Amino acid sequence: MTDNKLKLDEELVRQLLAEDNVTVAEDTSFAIMLERTKDHFDFEITDGWAKNPDMMFYTETTSDGYEVWVATDDDQRPSINEDIYYYESDWLEKMADAMTDGLTIYFQELNDDNYEFEEVVQNVYEEYYNDKRQELIEKLIDDGYEWEE
């Protein structure tokens, strides 16, 4: 490698991403993570039924008074085996895919503090960050940069 080659390293990548307002999750507020992932993956999330959602996350009460969590794409006939959750901890496992697939999502607890939801958004944001990082690296390589040895 000759000395006049443009050097590519992680520090340069982080600096250029930061200049484009793409920051690591730890340095980004929840609201910004949600907004950037919505723009990047082209999904919509709402707590109103009027949007005719592709995927729905809501709670129901059973006839004997227990609360169950529902994650379904069919609000008329959710599958007992696949869409109903007895524990809240696994309830949002389908949400990340719904976001990255660009779906319209109904989330009953959108305006509530929900740790599981924040964790999903952070995981999707990390995917967004990695997409942006990879796009930048490919552009820099196309522009003649090479990784430092």
Side-chain angles (χ1 to χ4, degrees):
M1 182 184 322
T2 61
D3 288 340
N4 59 359
K5 282 287 187 185
L6 301 169
K7 306 279 189 219
L8 177 58
D9 62 14
E10 285 300 326
E11 184 178 333
L12 176 63
V13 170
R14 280 191 303 273
Q15 175 189 342
L16 292 173
L17 285 172
E19 288 174 8
D20 199 26
N21 289 322
V22 179
T23 53
V24 294
E26 295 79 25
D27 296 337
T28 309
S29 74
F30 172 75
I32 291 173
M33 283 193 282
L34 181 58
E35 196 60 40
R36 288 181 184 162
T37 56
K38 283 169 52 177
D39 291 343
H40 182 72
F41 293 109
D42 197 30
F43 71 87
E44 185 175 351
I45 191 160
T46 180
D47 60 358
W49 279 108
K51 296 283 186 178
N52 194 22
D54 302 307
M55 191 73 191
M56 292 140 285
F57 298 85
Y58 58 95
T59 59
E60 288 287 349
T61 304
T62 64
S63 61
D64 57 351
Y66 289 95
E67 186 173 39
V68 293
W69 290 264
V70 182
T72 185
D73 59 359
D74 184 354
D75 67 321
Q76 299 301 310
R77 291 186 304 266
S79 167
I80 299 290
N81 295 333
E82 297 176 16
D83 299 337
I84 310 295
Y85 295 82
Y86 188 72
Y87 298 105
E88 185 177 12
S89 60
D90 298 328
W91 173 42
L92 299 181
E93 65 184 14
K94 297 178 185 177
M95 188 177 282
D97 287 339
M99 289 175 168
T100 58
D101 289 345
L103 302 181
T104 298
I105 302 163
Y106 168 78
F107 181 46
Q108 181 180 31
E109 297 181 8
L110 183 61
N111 293 314
D112 300 342
D113 288 333
N114 184 303
Y115 175 77
E116 286 81 12
F117 177 60
E118 291 176 10
E119 190 174 337
V120 168
V121 170
Q122 182 170 342
N123 290 338
V124 172
Y125 182 84
E126 288 170 0
E127 192 169 332
Y128 154 80
Y129 180 87
N130 290 333
D131 286 354
K132 291 302 216 179
R133 181 182 175 280
Q134 191 59 39
E135 287 171 16
L136 176 62
I137 288 170
E138 289 171 8
K139 181 187 180 309
L140 290 171
I141 289 172
D142 288 346
D143 290 347
Y145 282 79
E146 290 184 5
W147 284 106
E148 283 190 325
E149 292 182 21

